[in-house]
Amino acid sequence: MTMADTTQFLSRREKIIANLAVILLAVMTLLPFLWFVIMSFKPVDQIFAGVSGLFFTPTLENYAGLVNERFVRSIWNSIVTSTVSTGLALVIGVPGAYALSRAGLKRDRTMSLLILASRMAPPVAFAIPYFLVYRTLGLLDTQLGLIIVYLTFNLALVVWLMRNFFDATPRELEEAAWIDGASLWGTFVRIVLPMSIPAVLTTGMLCFLYSWNDFFFALTLTRNSAMTAPVEVVNFMNYEGWEWGKIAAGGTLIMAPVLVFSLLMRKYLVAGMTAGAVKG
């Protein structure tokens, strides 16, 4: 039964209630973000002006205040560390998940759980060990140091999610390719990987979000050179006062790439969320 077939059984009253519920949920979800974006365009003296602050002349002075070497470098650091760590996690984790799915090990579920265990512990449990090791290896305040941290956690997520997807996909096409003489790697590249593109994009998006929004490790393991955008925004909270305009503008700029990317890839994201849900 399609969605159209289902909706025709709903009464007019039920449709109105359902639409109102969806609108209310959307408003409750988006209102804090909209308020944050609007605040980034307000003059400093009208940010907390109350009712009188509802009507204001938009200004770009808060964004202009971000055009400096430190903030631009922090945005670049976020782009590099998030993109590279996500790419490496997919390149390593997707084939690893496929191998784990097809290996047929007796304790593969236990192995998958152990791989995911790194995501179960709170980040603070890893902070001191990483800091001590990085200080010894000279990786503090470097992009490479952050990439390694993000790769460690993202790799576990990729293997866990993609392994479940591969477990749910039918193997008839792979077996037919093997009969025709295709190798295991050739079958993966030519048949399995194209079918798993929605799941790969969804997993990559989640990994990118984790890396892009990370604050704790970037705060602990960086100082100046490799500082990322979320940490740089905190510098606008100082003893002399909190620069709310710049905080709102910086937060908006941090949210913008993820929002745009999500909208552009929404078709693949929805397909990836349901990929492998039905087996056979």
Side-chain angles (χ1 to χ4, degrees):
M1 180 180 292
T2 63
M3 183 64 69
D5 296 329
T6 303
T7 55
Q8 68 179 359
F9 293 104
L10 298 177
S11 65
R12 182 178 180 84
R13 180 180 179 182
E14 290 173 331
K15 291 180 181 179
I16 294 175
I17 294 176
N19 291 332
L20 290 176
V22 171
I23 294 173
L24 179 62
L25 179 62
V27 170
M28 292 176 61
T29 303
L30 297 176
L31 188 59
F33 299 100
L34 293 176
W35 174 80
F36 200 65
V37 173
I38 292 173
M39 188 170 68
S40 70
F41 291 100
K42 282 187 173 183
V44 177
D45 58 347
Q46 294 189 23
I47 289 180
F48 295 108
V51 178
S52 60
L54 295 177
F55 305 96
F56 63 94
T57 301
T59 178
L60 295 176
E61 64 179 5
N62 296 321
Y63 290 93
L66 299 178
V67 183
N68 58 70
E69 182 181 355
R70 285 180 58 91
F71 191 80
V72 173
R73 184 173 66 241
S74 70
I75 290 289
W76 174 247
N77 289 333
S78 292
I79 294 173
V80 172
T81 55
S82 300
T83 304
V84 174
S85 62
T86 299
L88 289 175
L90 293 177
V91 169
I92 300 173
V94 173
Y98 178 71
L100 186 62
S101 174
R102 298 298 187 258
L105 301 177
K106 293 183 178 180
R107 297 186 179 275
D108 56 353
R109 291 287 179 181
T110 303
M111 187 179 300
S112 298
L113 184 61
L114 291 175
I115 293 174
L116 189 65
S118 62
R119 297 302 302 267
M120 297 180 179
V124 68
F126 301 95
I128 295 178
Y130 269 116
F131 181 85
L132 295 177
V133 172
Y134 275 23
R135 186 177 62 180
T136 302
L137 298 178
L139 291 176
L140 286 177
D141 200 21
T142 63
Q143 292 180 348
L144 178 60
L146 286 181
I147 290 172
I148 293 174
V149 172
Y150 298 156
L151 175 61
T152 302
F153 290 94
N154 285 339
L155 191 58
L157 181 63
V158 172
V159 172
W160 177 263
L161 293 178
M162 292 305 302
R163 185 274 169 97
N164 290 333
F165 169 79
F166 291 136
D167 283 347
T169 55
R171 305 189 183 186
E172 286 77 7
L173 292 176
E174 299 172 57
E175 294 172 353
W178 295 337
I179 293 175
D180 291 337
S183 63
L184 181 63
W185 178 253
T187 302
F188 171 74
V189 173
R190 296 183 177 89
I191 296 178
V192 178
L193 192 58
M195 291 191 304
S196 61
I197 290 300
V200 171
L201 291 175
T202 302
T203 305
M205 184 66 184
L206 295 176
C207 292
F208 184 85
L209 283 174
Y210 167 77
S211 303
W212 183 265
N213 293 326
D214 171 69
F215 176 80
F216 182 79
F217 285 114
L219 177 66
T220 306
L221 303 176
T222 66
R223 291 296 179 269
N224 296 302
S225 300
M227 185 178 294
T228 58
V231 179
E232 181 61 32
V233 170
V234 178
N235 290 329
F236 297 126
M237 306 175 185
N238 47 56
Y239 293 107
E240 298 176 357
W242 290 22
E243 301 177 79
W244 285 107
K246 293 182 179 180
I247 293 173
T252 301
L253 289 179
I254 293 173
M255 290 189 298
V258 177
L259 178 61
V260 172
F261 185 74
S262 300
L263 292 176
L264 293 176
M265 305 298 292
R266 63 185 182 278
K267 180 178 68 174
Y268 298 101
L269 293 175
V270 172
M273 291 296 183
T274 58
V278 179
K279 185 176 181 179

